[in-house]
Amino acid sequence: MSITARAGAGAGAGAGGRRPAAAVRALSALVASGAALAGLALGAAAPAHADTHLTLRTSEQEVRLTAGPPGQQGQPQTVSAFVLGGDDQHIDRVQVRAELSGGLAGAATATWPEGCTPSGADSALCDVAADDQITVTLRAAAGAPHATGTLTFTGVSANLAGEAASTAVTVESGPAVYVVGVPARTKAKPGQDVPLPFDLVNAGDQAGDGAIVSLWISPGLDIDGRSSSCLYSSGGVPSHVQHVVCFLDAVSPGTTVSYAHALTFTAKPSSLIEDVEMSVGADTSAAHAAALRDFDGVPGTGPALKPDGSTAGIPSAGLRLGADPKIDVDNTAEMSVTTPSPLKGANGATLDVDLAVTNHGPADYMDSWDEFPAAYVELVPPPGTTISSFVDVGCFILAKDDKTVIGNGKPRTGDRVVCKTSYVFFAGRTEHFSFTLHVDKVIPGATGKAYFRTDSPEGRPMPWDKNTANNSAAFVLNPAKGGGTSGGSSGSGGSGTTGGTTAGTASGGSGTSAGGTAGGSATAGTTTGATTGSASGSSGGTSGTSPDGSLAATGSGTAPLITALAGTACAAGAAVLLLARSRRRAHRGAARP
């Protein structure tokens, strides 16, 4: 079909999908809290028995159930009801009635969860713990006509008196497109082709106008071929997610079609941890418009994407509204850690210490999958000193036994501090972590060190860092006469020099960073070679410029989600790997292996 037939129409693949229960529970709690605050603000009267009264909320305002192929039920959708308020009131269990009403008799079926006793086909009495949930599974019945109605949850127990929450339910005819057959993980080497096979399934009762497949492709993958079936984002910035929307042929109801050879990518020299976000849906007018909204896609000119074959039937399991395959590339992100030059300080002095972690490449480290940092770096203070302050975002205290995680607070004598780098760490960049040391007792030649933790607690293996010779570095406080050691790290990835400066060479470029100082904050230096720039931040800093020439500066660590999103988005032009993540796991219900 023509991809320009509905010009001006618009994103998402019309996938819809269910939210994870934990996310809905948190959202419902926020809604409940907001409602309580609103009530206070408006001076609303407290309900009777306010000390024991609970509330009901549902996860969905509306669900639309698509009829299945002839003789088959439609695909399941879930609706949850939440009983809120029990934590504060020490209430154990309550009773809630769930009921389908309106014109849904014979058109929709309900599967009641454990703890519910059915009373007829469309109603059940449920026993549920306070601050817990009831999840009901709905389907369009086989041969269901168009119908509308309501799923209502009503409080039965006294402390739920007057409480009710409902979800509008519509049963309708139409296509229902899902994806199966996408490999969860693929291994590759730089320069290799990476195929992405997939099957489309129509579990609805109509073929519709076609199918929409939306892709968000991580920066380390090149798209092979540009099909006339698809629109491609025109940005072309190396560090940005690539967005592709493909409009494919309609799938007959009750049929599975295979696209085993439609999509192929090539792993770039900078690739390492890559993934492809995929959302699918029926090509309706609304979905077509959503897929193109705010998207400056350019049509491809290559052959149209066509299925390799089709089979009758719907898989019994595994239908998804999207997929998130991961590509593990056997590549190197050469990491080094650098410490300052020798320090001097009398008893009672406070000294600034800057640690620098550099990615010498050639791979860009970008873990949008799990959001794990590229490295955990630990500072072991010299004997006779105590870490008096450190960046508390992305860093934590480890006891002197090197096993017990203390968390935040004020370090004690002998405690160490571990800091996490960003989970987006481009080749040619350096991240800085600043500390202050208090000199408790002068010990000539006392030596501290920094090194990458690769084991528990709070460490992880770094298989992409193949040269470990520069994974630790020592620094000396009050060198003995005629002695002393300059700061820095050694190895093929870099060399240490005095003045807190590191220089490293690798196929990804070279970098020089001047260590900054701060009393409990972090200051980024500058990098040269493939990238240049400077930035500073309160939670560790990254210096450098992204491959497209725009300034990049990201705070260290995997702090709370909002901090990580804000720091990375501002640093890398607001489009590194975060665009796709917001659309996936919570939106599509796609299983993670």
Side-chain angles (χ1 to χ4, degrees):
M1 67 172 295
S2 169
I3 61 176
T4 58
R6 300 190 185 98
R18 299 187 299 276
R19 304 187 190 114
V24 177
R25 184 179 303 172
L27 178 61
S28 299
L30 287 173
V31 170
S33 300
L37 290 173
L40 289 173
L42 295 173
H49 310 294
D51 57 329
T52 60
H53 197 78
L54 307 179
T55 57
L56 283 173
R57 295 286 186 273
T58 58
S59 60
E60 312 290 339
Q61 290 185 329
E62 179 186 20
V63 294
R64 307 185 77 86
L65 307 176
T66 304
Q72 300 182 45
Q73 288 185 314
Q75 291 301 302
Q77 293 198 48
T78 59
V79 177
S80 296
F82 300 90
V83 180
L84 304 174
D87 277 351
D88 295 333
Q89 297 160 33
H90 309 292
I91 299 169
D92 186 14
R93 305 190 71 81
V94 294
Q95 287 189 317
V96 176
R97 181 170 298 281
E99 185 172 17
L100 288 173
S101 59
L104 297 177
T109 65
T111 301
W112 312 109
E114 185 178 352
C116 294
T117 303
S119 51
D122 299 326
S123 179
L125 183 64
C126 301
D127 183 69
V128 59
D131 260 347
D132 206 345
Q133 68 188 66
I134 305 163
T135 299
V136 179
T137 302
L138 302 177
R139 292 175 180 260
H146 178 83
T148 59
T150 305
L151 172 62
T152 303
F153 299 90
T154 306
V156 175
S157 300
N159 43 26
L160 277 170
E163 283 293 325
S166 61
T167 296
V169 180
T170 300
V171 178
E172 58 190 359
S173 179
V177 178
Y178 297 87
V179 66
V180 295
V182 180
R185 303 179 87 98
T186 302
K187 293 185 180 297
K189 294 181 181 295
Q192 280 188 342
D193 287 341
V194 182
L196 182 62
F198 65 95
D199 297 341
L200 293 181
V201 180
N202 185 354
D205 66 344
Q206 300 291 328
D209 295 332
I212 299 177
V213 176
S214 293
L215 305 167
W216 292 269
I217 303 157
S218 63
L221 298 176
D222 265 332
I223 303 168
D224 292 352
R226 303 244 164 181
S227 170
S228 58
S229 300
C230 306
L231 298 174
Y232 299 83
S233 56
S234 58
V237 178
S239 63
H240 288 194
V241 169
Q242 305 162 85
H243 186 190
V244 179
V245 179
C246 299
F247 300 91
L248 306 181
D249 293 341
V251 182
S252 300
T255 301
T256 300
V257 297
S258 172
Y259 286 87
H261 305 289
L263 298 176
T264 304
F265 310 96
T266 299
K268 295 180 182 179
S270 61
S271 61
L272 185 66
I273 303 170
E274 310 300 331
D275 67 346
V276 178
E277 309 276 348
M278 174 185 286
S279 287
V280 304
D283 189 0
T284 63
S285 296
H288 198 103
L292 299 180
R293 187 176 300 125
D294 300 324
F295 178 48
D296 60 347
V298 176
T301 58
L305 299 183
K306 296 295 181 182
D308 303 298
S310 64
T311 57
I314 299 173
S316 59
L319 296 186
R320 294 287 186 269
L321 294 169
D324 191 2
K326 181 178 180 181
I327 296 92
D328 296 310
V329 182
D330 183 10
N331 204 356
T332 298
E334 175 58 38
M335 300 285 177
S336 69
V337 60
T338 304
T339 53
S341 58
L343 301 173
K344 292 184 180 181
N347 286 338
T350 298
L351 306 175
D352 295 322
V353 176
D354 179 82
L355 301 184
V357 178
T358 301
N359 178 5
H360 300 280
D364 292 326
Y365 181 95
M366 291 180 276
D367 186 5
S368 67
W369 181 276
D370 291 310
E371 299 179 10
F372 286 140
Y376 291 78
V377 60
E378 177 176 339
L379 173 66
V380 181
T385 68
T386 300
I387 300 172
S388 54
S389 66
F390 62 96
V391 176
D392 61 358
V393 177
C395 298
F396 58 90
I397 303 168
L398 193 64
K400 60 183 177 181
D401 63 6
D402 210 31
K403 297 178 181 179
T404 306
V405 176
I406 298 174
N408 292 327
K410 187 171 180 60
R412 305 163 303 182
T413 300
D415 286 348
R416 295 102 179 272
V417 171
V418 178
C419 293
K420 310 171 187 178
T421 68
S422 304
Y423 67 88
V424 177
F425 200 161
F426 292 116
R429 304 292 175 78
T430 296
E431 290 191 5
H432 295 265
F433 303 94
S434 293
F435 308 83
T436 58
L437 288 180
H438 182 269
V439 181
D440 305 320
K441 178 184 178 181
V442 172
I443 301 176
T447 301
K449 70 174 181 176
Y451 70 100
F452 294 142
R453 291 193 66 90
T454 56
D455 56 5
S456 297
E458 297 296 326
R460 66 178 303 212
M462 299 165 59
W464 51 86
D465 181 29
K466 301 193 168 55
N467 170 32
T468 60
N470 53 8
N471 286 10
S472 65
F475 64 99
V476 177
L477 175 61
N478 294 317
K481 265 190 178 180
T485 310
S486 60
S489 59
S490 61
S492 62
S495 61
T497 63
T498 60
T501 302
T502 67
T505 60
S507 59
S510 62
T512 303
S513 59
T517 60
S521 64
T523 304
T526 60
T527 62
T528 60
T531 58
T532 59
S534 64
S536 64
S538 62
S539 59
T542 300
S543 58
T545 307
S546 59
D548 62 317
S550 60
L551 179 64
T554 175
S556 71
T558 49
L561 178 60
I562 292 176
T563 302
L565 285 174
T568 306
C570 293
V576 183
L577 290 179
L578 307 176
L579 172 67
R581 196 180 64 244
S582 64
R583 292 177 169 85
R584 68 179 176 213
R585 295 150 191 155
H587 174 66
R588 296 191 317 266
R592 290 177 62 185

